[in-house]
Amino acid sequence: MIWRDPSGRTLADYPHPSVAVDVAVLTVADDRLCVLLHEGRALPGTFLRIDETLRAAALRVLRDRAGVTGEEPRQLAVFDDPERDDRGRVLSVAHVDLVPVERLDSPLTPVDDLPPLAFDHTAIVDAAVAWARDAYAALPDPRGLVGPDFTLLELQRVHEAVLGRPLPKDTFRRRMQEHLIDTGTLSRGSVGKPARVFRRAPREYE
Amino acid sequence: MIWRDPSGRTLADYPHPSVAVDVAVLTVADDRLCVLLHEGRALPGTFLRIDETLRAAALRVLRDRAGVTGEEPRQLAVFDDPERDDRGRVLSVAHVDLVPVERLDSPLTPVDDLPPLAFDHTAIVDAAVAWARDAYAALPDPRGLVGPDFTLLELQRVHEAVLGRPLPKDTFRRRMQEHLIDTGTLSRGSVGKPARVFRRAPREYE
DNA sequence: CCAATAGTGTCTGTAAGACAGTATTTC
DNA sequence: GAAATACTGTCTTACAGACACTATTGG
């Protein structure tokens, strides 16, 4: 049963824009926040299929173009400048995901040292970075870039990389501690006093 | 010059979803945060035309369906459940705008007393309310629901309506004061000490 | 012992909320 | 003067940042 409007036309009889899904895959590599770029100049993306959710399309991009599965893409915004794509009228629903660097094989570029990107992908990366910084402001590594077990120093390095600035050691400890569980083990790493090993506390829902 | 893919097809040869634009028009009426509903059960909306920006479509909705012009719709998110619209595959790009009640003539419904709405419009209203509450957390009436001149009590009533909870009077004053300019005049209203009349300070960009 | 890293105690400044006080108007 | 509203002073609490100190390892 196909819906028709008063003039007998279906929705498909009206011209409408194409919808793309682009994903800014962020990670921390060498203590720097990086983004995965295709051919060094564009975010991975695809066209949304007609019976597919945005989430499914974003996961398909992650699988086919970045080689990762089981991630958690988040919608950022729709980019809709009519001139943004010279192939025609294409809306892009931008997404972001934070993925541990070990699960990526494609080339990465630090976000504070981006080359000019195709389309409006620079703006998408900016929005993705802003989202990531917000997510990492209060909670310990919410997207699991380290872990599952880690020392506070390891956690702090990841947060500093995402936020792009150094953090005070003592305040960072105190802010994170309530969200961490002490595993009881000690890191037997290099020189210095061994550090306690923590794990993220299960998220609390009030 | 029309772009064609390697098999000679244009973008329009692939089936793609329709794109709708729905707008949650919020206002404060009788000290309550309200939303404008069409026929008491749906947000005003339209289909995005192929050469139109989302902002233009949202403004068109505001003009044609809510009778207001010159507003500032903000994009919230894309709602994309494949079953959300039984006329076919329709994505909705949800928007929010806050408009002074004097400029609206359509019927309003308090957001904490909503009837069941069509499609997924309840979720859109929820997102719109969350956006408005965030916007009104720190700054005095950023969308100009009162004004341009107002007393602190008038300002506080609007904030309480948007946030849906009472605010402590003294803390509210102190938080807002740095963003306000004293006009020098006094409100010669009813009983009680006359209140100073303020105006929003121009936004500061750091 | 020294170097290096881990972890804590304490001080200062800021801001929110609670509370109560003072100030100025209408009636 | 009473009632109502406007405004302010101050106390407590909480938390961030700064700073310095103690603790525990390898060499």
Side-chain angles (χ1 to χ4, degrees):
Chain A
M1 188 57 185
I2 293 173
W3 178 87
R4 292 180 185 277
D5 73 8
S7 59
R9 281 176 278 206
T10 71
L11 286 182
D13 291 328
Y14 291 92
H16 31 266
S18 302
V19 177
V21 170
D22 292 312
V23 184
V25 180
L26 301 180
T27 193
V28 170
D30 288 331
D31 291 338
R32 299 180 78 182
L33 184 61
C34 296
V35 61
L36 185 154
L37 293 180
H38 185 245
E39 296 180 355
R41 55 181 288 281
L43 297 176
T46 190
F47 283 103
L48 178 67
R49 297 177 183 164
I50 190 149
D51 279 323
E52 184 182 47
T53 63
L54 292 165
R55 177 184 165 81
L59 289 171
R60 185 159 57 78
V61 169
L62 286 166
R63 174 166 42 81
D64 296 352
R65 314 248 180 159
V68 289
T69 56
E71 303 302 329
E72 279 290 335
R74 312 236 169 177
Q75 212 189 90
L76 288 171
V78 185
F79 289 76
D80 70 333
D81 183 333
E83 311 296 326
R84 63 177 297 281
D85 190 323
D86 54 20
R87 292 171 297 183
R89 178 71 169 130
V90 181
L91 302 182
S92 169
V93 184
H95 287 69
V96 59
D97 205 353
L98 277 158
V99 180
V101 64
E102 307 82 41
R103 310 178 60 177
L104 300 174
D105 46 6
S106 309
L108 303 170
T109 306
V111 296
D112 51 9
D113 194 22
L114 283 183
L117 299 186
F119 310 108
D120 47 12
H121 287 184
T122 300
I124 294 178
V125 173
D126 287 347
V129 169
W131 178 87
R133 291 190 169 157
D134 189 63
Y136 274 68
L139 288 177
D141 189 23
R143 294 297 297 114
L145 294 180
V146 293
D149 295 351
F150 46 82
T151 67
L152 270 167
L153 181 58
E154 290 164 349
L155 182 67
Q156 186 170 342
R157 280 204 214 287
V158 168
H159 278 247
E160 288 176 337
V162 171
L163 299 179
R165 63 187 170 88
L167 294 170
K169 178 175 73 155
D170 41 11
T171 303
F172 182 77
R173 293 186 90 84
R174 282 189 267 252
R175 258 220 310 256
M176 293 299 151
Q177 211 130 33
E178 67 172 306
H179 305 291
L180 298 178
I181 292 170
D182 192 334
T183 63
T185 50
L186 295 177
S187 85
R188 328 240 71 237
S190 55
V191 30
K193 177 172 169 177
R196 281 189 275 198
V197 175
F198 295 91
R199 166 174 308 160
R200 276 176 292 277
R203 278 282 246 120
E204 284 163 32
Y205 306 95
E206 63 272 28
Chain B
M1 187 55 184
I2 293 174
W3 176 88
R4 292 179 184 279
D5 73 7
S7 59
R9 280 176 279 205
T10 71
L11 287 182
D13 291 328
Y14 291 91
H16 33 266
S18 301
V19 177
V21 170
D22 292 313
V23 185
V25 180
L26 301 181
T27 194
V28 171
D30 287 330
D31 292 336
R32 299 180 78 182
L33 184 62
C34 296
V35 61
L36 185 155
L37 293 181
H38 186 246
E39 296 179 353
R41 55 182 290 281
L43 297 176
T46 189
F47 283 103
L48 178 68
R49 296 177 182 163
I50 190 150
D51 278 323
E52 184 181 47
T53 63
L54 292 165
R55 178 184 164 81
L59 289 171
R60 185 160 57 79
V61 170
L62 286 165
R63 173 166 42 82
D64 295 352
R65 315 251 180 156
V68 290
T69 56
E71 303 303 329
E72 280 289 335
R74 311 236 169 177
Q75 210 188 93
L76 287 171
V78 186
F79 289 76
D80 71 331
D81 185 331
E83 311 296 326
R84 64 177 294 283
D85 190 324
D86 53 21
R87 293 172 297 182
R89 176 70 170 132
V90 180
L91 302 182
S92 169
V93 184
H95 288 68
V96 59
D97 204 353
L98 278 158
V99 180
V101 65
E102 307 83 41
R103 310 177 59 178
L104 300 176
D105 47 6
S106 310
L108 302 170
T109 305
V111 296
D112 50 9
D113 196 21
L114 283 183
L117 300 185
F119 309 109
D120 46 11
H121 287 184
T122 301
I124 294 179
V125 173
D126 287 346
V129 169
W131 178 87
R133 293 190 166 157
D134 189 63
Y136 275 67
L139 287 177
D141 191 22
R143 294 297 298 115
L145 294 180
V146 294
D149 295 352
F150 45 82
T151 67
L152 270 166
L153 180 59
E154 289 164 350
L155 182 67
Q156 184 169 346
R157 281 204 214 286
V158 168
H159 278 249
E160 288 176 338
V162 172
L163 299 180
R165 62 186 171 89
L167 295 170
K169 181 173 70 153
D170 42 10
T171 303
F172 181 76
R173 294 185 90 85
R174 282 189 266 255
R175 258 220 310 257
M176 292 300 151
Q177 209 130 33
E178 67 172 306
H179 305 291
L180 298 176
I181 292 171
D182 191 335
T183 63
T185 49
L186 293 178
S187 85
R188 329 239 70 239
S190 55
V191 34
K193 178 172 169 178
R196 283 188 277 198
V197 175
F198 294 91
R199 166 174 307 161
R200 277 176 290 278
R203 278 284 245 120
E204 285 164 31
Y205 306 94
E206 64 273 29

